[in-house]
């Protein structure tokens, strides 16, 4: 069991949970993820490790409450537990050793960009983070990224930072020159737009893909993606790939495969069938004389 040690609401539907997972905290690297299962029979949910504290033995997971299972996860409170966490999974982020990197985070994808930016800054790479949200309350990880370098905040409605998409600011930074690599994580249309933007500049672009995952071991094929005409499994070959080679149409299509079932489960959850509180530790039994 993995105890929830801290819970922070980052934006209206995004929650950070810090969980005890000491062995994962010790060895995880930027870009890697875990698969969590709240309780027996629960759905397996892949989540990027947004941060880790090896001294405390905790990892931070950032969860967007979009469906039944994610709502059950964010309903956990400090002191509750998750049944199992498998990881770290996937390849660590391919990092440059020096130069200038632009880290583009769209919405909740900013939580995935944070460990990448952290790893780059630790290596002495100059990091420019460009992060965006629909409006001010949807911008996350701004303070953490400011400790690592320059941060440009964008909001769709202009309520905070610059008005516009993260791609608008990315274009300007690319035009100024001197960018060695771009890392982009967020909604599929955003990652596609960033990849299209960097292509004419010839700037290597790495994106983190989030297809449907089941086992996370390369066995089920659920996370199949097409990279430069080759089939890859995001769980074992990724989750990060060359953005210029990704078939984003296929990714978007496959992400929509279970939308109807997800909607049904979500509706049932709203009607009260969520398993919230299932993993609260049982009260200790009185000791028998
Ligand atoms: P959102 O729709 O609120 O968008 C966040 C920001 O992304 C926007 O403010 C904008 O700056 C940018 N953006 C969105 N669409 C764009 C477009 N067409 N062109 C250019 N920029 C665009 O995002 P959200 O609701 O926080 O994120 C939800 C999506 O992110 C989900 O689909 C989720 O699956 C995905 N996600 C992906 C990963 C990953 O690893 N790739 C991780 C977490 C979440
Ligand atoms: Fe099953 Fe990747 S999740 S092959």
């Amino acid at each position: 069991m993995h105890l929830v040690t801290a819970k922070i609401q980052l934006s209206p539907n995004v929650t950070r949970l810090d969980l005890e997972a000491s062995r994962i905290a010790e060895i995880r690297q930027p870009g890697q993820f875990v698969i969590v299962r709240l309780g027996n029979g629960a759905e397996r949910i892949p989540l990027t490790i947004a941060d880790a504290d090896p001294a405390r033995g905790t990892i931070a997971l950032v969860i967007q409450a979009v469906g039944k299972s994610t709502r059950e996860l964010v309903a956990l409170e400090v002191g509750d537990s998750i049944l199992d966490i498998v990881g770290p999974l996937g390849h660590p982020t391919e990092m440059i050793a020096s130069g200038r990197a632009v880290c583009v985070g769209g919405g909740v994808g900013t939580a995935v960009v944070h460990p990448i930016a952290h790893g780059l800054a630790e290596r002495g790479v100059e990091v420019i983070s460009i992060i965006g949200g629909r409006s001010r309350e949807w911008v996350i990880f701004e303070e953490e990224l400011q400790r690592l370098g320059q941060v440009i905040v964008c909001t769709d409605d202009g309520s905070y930072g610059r008005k516009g998409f993260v791609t608008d600011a990315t274009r300007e930074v690319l035009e100024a020159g001197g960018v060695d690599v771009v890392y982009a994580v967020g909604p599929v249309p955003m990652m596609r737009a960033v990849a299209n933007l960097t292509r004419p500049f010839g700037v290597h672009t790495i994106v983190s893909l989030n297809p449907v995952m089941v086992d996370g071991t390369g066995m089920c094929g659920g996370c199949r993606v097409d990279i430069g005409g080759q089939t890859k499994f995001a769980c074992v070959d990724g989750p990060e790939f060359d953005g210029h080679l990704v078939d984003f149409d296929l990714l978007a299509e496959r992400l929509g495969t279970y939308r109807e079932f997800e909607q049904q489960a979500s509706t049932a959850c709203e009607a009260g069938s969520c398993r919230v509180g299932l993993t609260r530790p049982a009260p200790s039994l009185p000791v028998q004389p």
Side-chain angles (χ1 to χ4, degrees):
M1 298 292 273
H2 301 269
L3 195 71
V4 178
T5 60
K7 177 179 180 178
I8 305 170
Q9 191 74 34
L10 298 179
S11 79
N13 75 341
V14 177
T15 304
R16 169 180 168 146
L17 291 182
D18 287 16
L19 292 138
E20 279 178 355
S22 57
R23 287 165 65 196
I24 298 174
E26 264 171 43
I27 60 170
R28 69 90 211 193
Q29 292 184 58
Q32 291 187 299
F33 65 99
V34 291
I35 291 187
V36 307
R37 210 164 53 110
L38 181 53
N40 281 322
E43 190 185 0
R44 295 155 190 260
I45 308 171
L47 294 164
T48 302
I49 306 165
D51 208 348
D53 186 338
R56 289 190 179 158
T58 58
I59 58 170
L61 303 179
V62 172
I63 303 140
Q64 186 176 35
V66 284
K68 174 181 180 289
S69 299
T70 45
R71 278 191 220 168
E72 288 174 345
L73 267 183
V74 302
L76 293 175
E77 298 294 344
V78 172
D80 289 342
S81 298
I82 285 181
L83 179 63
D84 48 43
I85 304 181
V86 179
L89 300 170
H91 288 287
T93 302
E94 174 195 321
M95 301 252 176
I96 54 171
S98 60
R100 180 186 288 168
V102 173
C103 295
V104 190
V108 68
T110 309
V112 182
V113 151
H114 170 253
I116 299 173
H118 192 267
L120 289 164
E122 267 186 345
R123 283 165 176 75
V125 174
E126 183 195 345
V127 176
I128 300 174
S129 300
I130 301 173
I131 60 174
R134 287 167 231 169
S135 58
R136 183 180 189 132
E137 68 266 35
W138 298 90
V139 174
I140 62 171
F141 277 86
E142 182 189 356
E143 259 180 58
E144 290 87 341
L145 289 165
Q146 262 166 354
R147 288 183 215 124
L148 309 173
Q150 187 192 349
V151 178
I152 301 170
V153 180
C154 311
T155 49
D156 301 3
D157 63 1
S159 55
Y160 187 52
R162 296 177 41 145
K163 186 176 190 319
F165 282 173
V166 284
T167 37
D168 302 329
T170 306
R171 182 184 293 107
E172 285 173 27
V173 172
L174 287 166
E175 282 168 356
V179 176
D180 297 295
V181 63
V182 170
Y183 298 85
V185 190
V188 173
M190 179 222 119
M191 294 191 287
R192 184 208 304 260
V194 172
N196 287 341
L197 200 57
T198 56
R199 194 174 279 114
F201 289 91
V203 174
H204 185 41
T205 300
I206 298 172
V207 294
S208 178
L209 304 187
N210 61 326
V212 172
M213 286 192 189
V214 183
D215 63 325
T217 65
M219 302 284 282
C220 72
C223 66
R224 174 169 67 83
V225 290
D226 184 298
I227 310 294
Q230 291 190 326
T231 294
K232 299 278 181 193
F233 297 135
C235 65
V236 288
D237 300 319
E240 294 175 6
F241 294 100
D242 182 339
H244 296 153
L245 300 178
V246 174
D247 182 339
F248 286 107
D249 287 335
L250 180 70
L251 177 64
E253 188 193 313
R254 286 180 60 78
L255 274 170
T257 307
Y258 300 106
R259 196 155 288 147
E260 199 185 319
F261 299 102
E262 285 161 5
Q263 189 54 53
Q264 281 170 9
S266 197
T267 307
C269 181
E270 274 162 28
S273 76
C274 276
R275 300 149 35 109
V276 173
L278 186 77
T279 53
R280 293 213 166 92
S284 46
L285 295 169
V287 178
Q288 297 295 322

